[in-house]
Amino acid sequence: MLKKRIFLGIVLLLLLLASCSKKGNDGTIQDPPKVTPKEPPVEEKVYATPKLSKMLDIIYDFEGGILVDGDGKTNFGVLEDNWIKYVNDKGIDYKPIDKITKADADGYYEYYWKGEDLFKRNDDINLYPYMTYSLALVVFDSKVLDGYGKKDNPAFGSFEILQSVLNKKGYSEKVLGKLLDEDGDFSKKSIEVLKAVPKKEQKEIANDVLDQRDIEHCKASINGMKTGKYDDSSDPIEGWLERVQTLRELIATMNDETGEFNYKGKMDHYKDLEAARNACQDILDK
């Protein structure tokens, strides 16, 4: 009986070994192929969702108080014409632009930030939740200073520049198979491309936007470079370049995962307009 059990055990063992091996073409027994365990998927880091309230003091520092220039009268960076559109659209009591408070400006900027239909455009979604703090700050500050793009500014604007950078970096082709229209309307296709940009790459995108902003501002000031006629109201190139350089230095240390940053204030990078003119010439000569 014991011998029978031993015999059956040996048979079962041989059958098991046979099932784990197979013969090759030459009749030899081959070991089963080794299965490499799959690496667990790498989870993308969680990034803080940008909040305008954390960045507004930077905007106010750049914009200052009441200013009258070629675009009209502004206060806290809010253009008078846009303020009128805002109060009419929201149905709130009108105040002259030079009488608005910081709280009034806060409300305007939150409205402008959320992409509400102030300018009756095609933008149909708030794009900033798909950005890191670095990119959101740069894009929104550009929008405050230069508008959206082609539709409201024939020269250039924030969303138009962002579309241009997404095209140049190859993101549009990768997602859509074609380039985005650089029209300043950041609608569904533009959002689709933006959402595909890894958060870890957005600081580089932000710096590219700043580089393009410098180029466009210097192009806009080319008459001043030719004639030497600069002044703070008609051709404020020094302030434009300093604003961009301040943002560059700020986002270099900005923690996009937590949204933490340390703003030291607007930096004075150029001693005079002549230094700014020379810097512009260098930018355009590259």
Side-chain angles (χ1 to χ4, degrees):
M1 189 70 176
L2 179 60
K3 289 182 179 180
K4 187 176 180 180
R5 288 179 179 174
I6 292 173
F7 175 76
L8 290 173
I10 292 171
V11 171
L12 289 172
L13 179 61
L14 290 173
L15 289 171
L16 180 62
L17 290 172
S19 68
C20 294
S21 305
K22 69 177 185 178
K23 291 183 178 181
N25 293 331
D26 58 359
T28 58
I29 301 296
Q30 296 180 336
D31 291 331
K34 292 183 179 179
V35 178
T36 304
K38 291 183 178 180
E39 293 288 335
V42 178
E43 293 185 9
E44 186 176 359
K45 294 178 180 178
V46 176
Y47 286 77
T49 300
K51 294 181 179 178
L52 178 61
S53 57
K54 288 185 64 174
M55 299 183 280
L56 266 180
D57 285 343
I58 300 171
I59 304 294
Y60 291 139
D61 192 27
F62 289 151
E63 291 293 339
I66 298 173
L67 174 69
V68 180
D69 59 18
D71 294 325
K73 184 185 290 187
T74 63
N75 194 6
F76 297 105
V78 179
L79 186 64
E80 185 171 30
D81 288 348
N82 291 346
W83 172 252
I84 293 170
K85 291 177 184 177
Y86 165 69
V87 296
N88 288 339
D89 200 43
K90 296 293 284 185
I92 60 180
D93 292 338
Y94 172 76
K95 291 181 182 178
I97 192 67
D98 53 359
K99 299 295 184 183
I100 68 171
T101 65
K102 186 174 179 293
D104 295 325
D106 286 351
Y108 168 84
Y109 279 124
E110 284 290 347
Y111 183 80
Y112 199 36
W113 167 268
K114 290 177 181 176
E116 296 188 61
D117 202 17
L118 177 60
F119 299 100
K120 311 305 178 190
R121 300 168 53 85
N122 292 334
D123 313 300
D124 53 10
I125 193 168
N126 183 359
L127 70 167
Y128 301 103
Y130 304 109
M131 297 182 178
T132 60
Y133 260 90
S134 292
L135 186 56
L137 173 60
V138 166
V139 170
F140 187 72
D141 180 71
S142 299
K143 181 178 164 185
V144 170
L145 184 62
D146 295 316
Y148 294 87
K150 280 189 170 67
K151 184 175 292 186
D152 62 344
N153 185 337
F156 64 94
S158 178
F159 289 3
E160 181 185 348
I161 288 176
L162 179 57
Q163 288 167 327
S164 173
V165 170
L166 293 173
N167 284 341
K168 289 175 182 176
K169 301 291 284 187
Y171 294 109
S172 306
E173 289 273 14
K174 185 176 180 180
V175 175
L176 303 175
K178 62 179 183 179
L179 299 179
L180 289 168
D181 292 332
E182 295 172 17
D183 57 5
D185 276 324
F186 218 87
S187 50
K188 290 182 179 179
K189 290 190 182 300
S190 296
I191 288 288
E192 188 178 344
V193 175
L194 176 62
K195 288 168 68 174
V197 179
K199 295 289 180 68
K200 64 183 179 181
E201 297 175 17
Q202 291 194 11
K203 197 181 290 286
E204 181 181 347
I205 298 294
N207 278 300
D208 288 344
V209 169
L210 290 175
D211 289 345
Q212 189 62 36
R213 191 165 138 179
D214 266 350
I215 291 170
E216 297 296 346
H217 282 142
C218 287
K219 285 179 180 177
S221 296
I222 201 163
N223 185 58
M225 282 187 277
K226 288 178 178 177
T227 64
K229 294 179 181 178
Y230 283 87
D231 63 73
D232 286 340
S233 61
S234 65
D235 204 350
I237 188 61
E238 184 180 358
W240 288 340
L241 293 180
E242 287 179 339
R243 185 164 175 164
V244 164
Q245 187 57 27
T246 298
L247 287 171
R248 277 199 191 97
E249 294 177 4
L250 174 58
I251 68 173
T253 58
M254 184 175 277
N255 188 325
D256 282 328
E257 292 175 38
T258 64
E260 295 302 314
F261 59 86
N262 181 23
Y263 178 60
K264 298 178 181 178
K266 185 169 54 178
M267 307 299 289
D268 186 10
H269 294 92
Y270 304 93
K271 64 179 182 179
D272 53 30
L273 287 172
E274 181 66 17
R277 182 193 72 82
N278 292 334
C280 257
Q281 196 63 64
D282 290 341
I283 288 168
L284 295 178
D285 287 344
K286 286 183 180 178

